[in-house]
Structure formats: structure tokens, C-alpha cells
Amino acid sequence: MSDPRSDGARDPESLRSHQWYGTEGLRSFSHRARTRQLGYLPEEHLGKPVIAVLNTWSDINPCHVHLRDRAQAVKRGVWQAGGFPLEFPVSTLSETFQKPTPMLYRNMLAMETEELLRSYPVDGAVLLGGCDKSTPALLMGAASVDLPAVFVPAGPMLPGHWRNEVLGSGTDMWKYWDDRRAGLIGDAELAELENGLARSPGTCMTMGTASTLTAAAEALGVTMPGASSVPAVDSGHDRMAAASGRQIVGLVHRDLRLSRILTRAAYEDAVATVLALGGSTNAVIHLIAMAGRSQVRLTLDDFDRIARTVPVLANLRPGGQYLMEDFHFAGGLPAFLAQLSDVLHLDRPTVAHDSLREQLAGAQVHNREVIRPRSNPLADEGGVAVLRGNLCPDGAVIKHIAAEPHLLRHTGPAVVFDDYRTMQRTINDPSLGITADTVLVLRNAGPKGGPGMPEYGMLPIPDHLLKEGVRDMVRISDARMSGTSYGTCVLHVAPESYVGGPLALVRTGDVITLDVAARSLRLEVSDEELERRRGEWSPPPAKYQRGYGALYSEQITQADTGCDFAFLSRPGEVPDPYAG
């Protein structure tokens, strides 16, 4: 690992912040005077790299509630390496509390990140996040402004406990909630579970969306080695944060910008990592959007192609057995990636090393049950499959590693719900005639229809079937699902029903065929009948008349292209502000 102090310091006049602080004009005089107002001496900041510490801490975000302390560790590292840290509070995206979904606001945080870094006297940035949407948002914004940057993952929470069981957040929540609906446990057990599911600050300790995306960030090369799995409350997390602060100063001196890290090769390696981890389907959307900000075209076909080249080696819930703390002490992502070295681009740089090869040198697996060898994979192919067919002409995804095997090829009649509230109200209605063979279909839950593409895709199984022992069914929607969820859930159907995609034309009783091996999702209705139905379809009214929601609705793209804003994802130059 490079020592930030060993790199020759840049000429202070070449620093971006010099425009604000180092010239002879009135504006620089004013900026220096205002920095004195902040209580800083000239020797504390003049001629030093100014490092923005972007902090998504909030009192209502349990994934990030410890980041106020971690920001202090980052700043300590920046000071030690000869930089000048400034902390910026930015939007907190809380998966647990924010409605209708923090996905609605991912692009807002990306905009905030980009414009803060662009408009202030910043030479480099340390980005603190981890809860699902914060990782892609921070990296999308930082990639757009293209400064040196290091990402500090929030880290997974401690394992959950209930009686003599180890719990995984999200995954066991769904499991025991269904047990409650099936009459297998009561209110007393549920109250105990409420106290045991989430025992500390940090992100979900399963391989949900948060851990999937922080692992993707590490695979991209924008974190310190091993950073993505350090438990949030472990003292090693403080040390990692301080090391990140030290490292960013050296990156500024070397002018190692994100555009040199976030290359096509890096994104392909991140995709391979996600698939070999059996990671969240949400990573498909986010990595496509992140790559777009780096001017790299990443598609669903890339995911499907790479999925056929990598096995699933992480035995982690919801698709496996263990939790993130087990993964960390088994060797973490460096040891995991070392098992995939034959499919990775090893000669690309990371923020910590001149090459990924150097970063992985000497990494060892300490528990072969948690990180499986290639000779004993959890599954022979990557954990996410991309589907095509007349129901999803622009694609859909399924996390087949978390599905019941007998449902991976299934034909059954559809029961269609026009919105999530209706589904909640009527799912147990006996008149619907839902059986274990039924295909549950939810529409108007996509990027525009949701709005924001909420995590509605793990549709509940009716109570009467749960009591009969049914725990999985084929479910199809244009929504997303939590990365901690499981089941035979076809997600991200594109184009979405709200804009007239084929999902809008499905009727209760129509037969649908899912064939994961063939990568196919088909509505068994003739083209002529679908055209007739299309002629009868009319667009729903706009959900927002004004405000951010209206901007979102006007600019959001579909799931297969990353759900970014059209005006942010297109190529084009943005000038640096004139600071004089």
C-alpha cells in the first residue's frame, strides 16, 4: 500500500483549491478571511490539499448513526497526511424509514454530491455511506465531477440473536413474519425478535443490497482493501476510516482521479464480484447507472454474459448460511477476489495500490465454508439471471440462487394486482382462487409507477397457503425487492407497466411461463390479442404536479438503463466554477 507521505507533494498552485485561496484578488482575500472566521490558522490550510468529507450521518438512519464518529477518524487521517479536511453533511437515504422509497432520492444525493464537490474549494473527497442507495449515489456524483476520491463503507451491523438462533436482518424478518402469519409463532416471540434482529449501528449483515454495493465499491477499487466487510462497531472500522483519510491526501498529490479508477475493466470486475457473491438484484440497476456516469456503457447483457463465467462462492444469506462478520473473518473481499483472479482485470489501479494484482497478493481464505473454493461452489453460475421475452422486451432479472429450484421452470395462471395497496388489501381474498401454481403479478410499481420503484417485488404469499406449508411462489413485477429477500421473484420488468410496457396488458387468468435456464419470461397470449389490448390501454395520470417528484418523473430512465436522470447521464462537459 502506498504511503501518502512518500509521494511528492504537488505544487500548491496546481491544487484546485488554490483558485479560492492562493491568488492576489479580492475574492481570495475574502476566502482567507472567512476561513479565519472558521477558526483556522493560515498554516493549517494554505497550500494543503482541501479534502471534503461527505457524511450521510443522521439520527434516523440506523445504518449510518455511527458515521459522525467515523468522520472524525477520517479527518484525523487527513490531518496526519498533511491535508485540510472539511466535513459536509449530505442527504441521508435510510432504507428503513424513507418513503415511498429512498430509490426516489438516489439521484438527488448524486446531484448534491456532484455540485458540492464542484462548487467548493475541494481537491479530493472521502465519501461516507453504505445504506443501499447511498453508495451508488455518492459514487455517481463523485464520478461526474472526477476528483480523487475514497469511499468509506458504513460496515455491517452485528449478527442478530433470538433465543438460540443467529438472525440475519431482513432475511429472518421476512421468514418469521411469515411464521407469524402461518400461526407458528405468536406476539411474544415477535416482540423478542423485534429486540434481536438489529443489535448495533451498521448496514444489514446479510449479503443484501448494502453489502453487495459496498463490495462492488471495493471491487471497483475505490475503498481501502477489505473495507467493505469491517463490522460497523469494530475498532478496525475506525482504523479503516483514518487510513482512508490518509490515503486521499496521497491521491490528490498524485492527481489520481476517479476516471483512472472507474474504467470498463473495473465495472466488469464489479459485476463479476456481485454475481459470485450471490448479491442483490439491485446492484444491476445501480452499477449500470454508476458506469454511465463514468462514460462506460454497461448493459443487462453484460451481466448475463459474466454470470455464465463465475460461480457463486460466498455462502452468505439470503442465498447461503453465514453472515457478513463471518465473511470478514474468513478473509473478506481480498480473499474472495483472489478465488476469482482468473476472470478479473488484475493490472488496473485502485486507490490503495498500483494494481489490483498487488492489492490481492497474499490474501488468504481462513474459512472454506464461508468463502467456498472453486471446486465446491454454492452454485455453478452467478446468482442473478437476466430474462427476456414478450413480457419483458427490455429485460427482467431474477435472483435464482434464492429461489426454490422447482419453480425455476414454471407455467401457471396469473392473478394481477394493479397496485401495491390493492394487493395488500386483497391478497387473502378467497375469491381470487390463488393456489401454489398461481403466478402473482404486480404492476405500476416501476420507476415512474411506484413512484421510485419501491421494494415491493417479494409479494406476500396468501395466509392460507402459508398455513399449508407453501413458502415460495412465482412472483413478477416491475418493482425491486430488498437484497435481503428471497423467493422466485422476477423483478425490474422493462419497460414498466406505467409507461405502457407489456406488463400493463396482462389479465388475470393469462398463462405465464418462466424458464430461468432458457432465460425466458413469456406471456402465453398471441401478438394479435396483445395489440388489441394495447389499443384499449390509456396512460395513467401523472403522480406529481410539481416539486422534485415532477422533475423525477420527467427525467427518470427505465430499469434496464439504470434509473438515472436523462440530463445527468448524457455525455457533456460541465465547466469548473470561476473562483476569482
Side-chain angles (χ1 to χ4, degrees):
M1 191 180 306
S2 60
D3 184 338
R5 296 171 302 176
S6 67
D7 297 307
R10 284 170 64 182
D11 180 347
E13 293 189 4
S14 71
L15 294 171
R16 185 173 179 270
S17 56
H18 178 78
Q19 301 174 56
W20 277 261
Y21 284 123
T23 65
E24 296 301 321
L26 172 63
R27 291 295 179 188
S28 281
F29 170 77
S30 172
H31 297 148
R32 294 192 297 269
R34 293 300 187 177
T35 306
R36 302 299 160 269
Q37 182 185 8
L38 292 170
Y40 294 108
L41 296 166
E43 55 267 32
E44 291 185 89
H45 74 96
L46 287 180
K48 296 181 177 182
V50 177
I51 306 300
V53 182
L54 268 58
N55 194 352
T56 53
W57 169 86
S58 168
D59 270 334
I60 201 170
N61 191 338
C63 302
H64 294 182
V65 73
H66 58 304
L67 291 186
R68 184 157 58 175
D69 292 334
R70 296 303 176 271
Q72 298 308 308
V74 171
K75 290 157 77 173
R76 183 177 81 232
V78 171
W79 284 119
Q80 289 171 351
F84 178 56
L86 294 171
E87 186 175 353
F88 291 75
V90 292
S91 301
T92 191
L93 303 182
S94 173
E95 198 66 40
T96 45
F97 289 105
Q98 199 166 19
K99 307 299 179 188
T101 167
M103 184 64 177
L104 187 69
Y105 302 103
R106 183 199 69 182
N107 298 339
M108 184 171 75
L109 175 55
M111 281 195 295
E112 184 180 16
T113 298
E114 177 179 353
E115 298 308 324
L116 278 176
L117 296 181
R118 195 186 308 282
S119 59
Y120 279 96
V122 170
D123 300 304
V126 178
L127 315 168
L128 279 68
C131 190
D132 298 11
K133 315 306 177 293
S134 61
T135 299
L138 290 165
L139 289 171
M140 287 162 68
S144 294
V145 75
D146 194 22
L147 293 174
V150 176
F151 182 73
V152 172
M157 67 177 87
L158 293 175
H161 281 277
W162 176 59
R163 299 184 177 179
N164 197 37
E165 293 188 37
V166 177
L167 303 177
S169 58
T171 303
D172 282 311
M173 178 183 74
W174 315 119
K175 174 184 181 296
Y176 284 109
W177 187 256
D178 281 352
D179 280 356
R180 173 70 175 84
R181 292 172 59 218
L184 300 177
I185 62 173
D187 291 342
E189 290 87 350
L190 210 62
E192 292 176 13
L193 284 159
E194 213 171 273
N195 292 326
L197 271 170
R199 300 172 46 241
S200 78
T203 56
C204 291
M205 77 302 257
T206 52
M207 186 46 70
T209 303
S211 289
T212 300
L213 285 165
T214 54
E218 184 174 338
L220 285 168
V222 296
T223 76
M224 301 303 290
S228 62
S229 62
V230 184
V233 294
D234 193 299
S235 63
H237 200 268
D238 245 351
R239 296 192 296 272
M240 178 271 294
S244 301
R246 288 169 53 83
Q247 195 68 16
I248 187 60
V249 177
L251 297 177
V252 170
H253 284 313
R254 293 162 56 198
D255 199 23
L256 185 61
R257 297 170 182 250
L258 276 180
S259 56
R260 290 176 56 195
I261 305 289
L262 298 177
T263 61
R264 170 87 197 180
Y267 281 106
E268 289 190 348
D269 288 353
V271 171
T273 301
V274 165
L275 294 168
L277 285 167
S280 169
T281 50
N282 289 305
V284 178
I285 293 175
H286 296 311
L287 280 172
I288 289 173
M290 291 160 65
R293 294 298 190 92
S294 301
Q295 303 304 305
V296 171
R297 186 171 183 270
L298 195 65
T299 69
L300 291 178
D301 290 337
D302 291 315
F303 279 83
D304 201 51
R305 170 180 57 83
I306 295 171
R308 299 172 190 270
T309 70
V310 294
V312 178
L313 300 180
N315 187 9
L316 299 172
R317 301 184 203 182
Q321 178 181 355
Y322 295 97
L323 298 174
M324 285 304 298
E325 188 172 41
D326 303 309
F327 181 77
H328 180 66
F329 291 113
L333 204 71
F336 180 82
L337 292 180
Q339 312 309 300
L340 301 171
S341 59
D342 59 312
V343 301
L344 300 177
H345 301 83
L346 297 175
D347 295 322
R348 60 184 177 87
T350 72
V351 297
H353 289 91
D354 292 334
S355 70
L356 181 62
R357 185 188 310 278
E358 181 185 341
Q359 183 157 313
L360 301 183
Q364 294 183 358
V365 175
H366 305 301
N367 187 329
R368 291 276 176 187
E369 273 301 305
V370 179
I371 300 175
R372 296 279 189 92
R374 295 288 282 268
S375 59
N376 183 31
L378 205 67
D380 292 332
E381 289 189 356
V384 175
V386 176
L387 307 175
R388 302 280 183 178
N390 67 347
L391 196 51
C392 54
D394 292 339
V397 300
I398 182 171
K399 188 174 181 178
H400 55 90
I401 192 176
E404 289 291 335
H406 74 278
L407 291 173
L408 296 180
R409 194 185 190 291
H410 179 82
T411 298
V415 169
V416 181
F417 301 96
D418 282 325
D419 60 77
Y420 192 70
R421 290 186 186 183
T422 301
M423 183 277 301
Q424 286 181 304
R425 190 175 67 250
T426 63
I427 188 68
N428 291 313
D429 187 342
S431 69
L432 294 177
I434 297 174
T435 72
D437 290 328
T438 298
V439 176
L440 301 177
V441 175
L442 173 67
R443 57 186 171 212
N444 296 314
K448 290 192 177 185
M453 210 178 176
E455 293 182 340
Y456 292 164
M458 189 184 173
L459 278 69
I461 294 169
D463 289 354
H464 73 277
L465 291 179
L466 287 174
K467 291 173 182 176
E468 294 171 13
V470 175
R471 288 305 176 102
D472 198 6
M473 297 173 65
V474 175
R475 289 157 276 184
I476 299 172
S477 73
D478 46 15
R480 298 176 300 109
M481 79 174 184
S482 167
T484 66
S485 300
Y486 51 86
T488 312
C489 302
V490 177
L491 310 159
H492 311 179
V493 169
E496 64 175 306
S497 55
Y498 193 81
V499 299
L503 202 64
L505 310 179
V506 183
R507 295 182 178 177
T508 293
D510 288 347
V511 174
I512 294 174
T513 296
L514 166 68
D515 189 339
V516 173
R519 300 298 197 260
S520 173
L521 180 67
R522 181 164 181 81
L523 179 64
E524 305 295 352
V525 174
S526 70
D527 293 344
E528 293 77 16
E529 172 62 14
L530 290 177
E531 281 305 308
R532 188 189 69 77
R533 293 181 188 180
R534 185 172 299 283
E536 297 174 352
W537 181 82
S538 57
K543 289 186 176 285
Y544 293 97
Q545 300 299 315
R546 58 163 301 280
Y548 173 77
L551 171 67
Y552 173 93
S553 297
E554 291 166 5
Q555 290 291 327
I556 197 68
T557 63
Q558 288 293 295
D560 61 303
T561 54
C563 296
D564 201 356
F565 286 164
F567 76 93
L568 292 175
S569 58
R570 66 187 179 219
E573 295 298 321
V574 179
D576 243 7
Y578 176 61

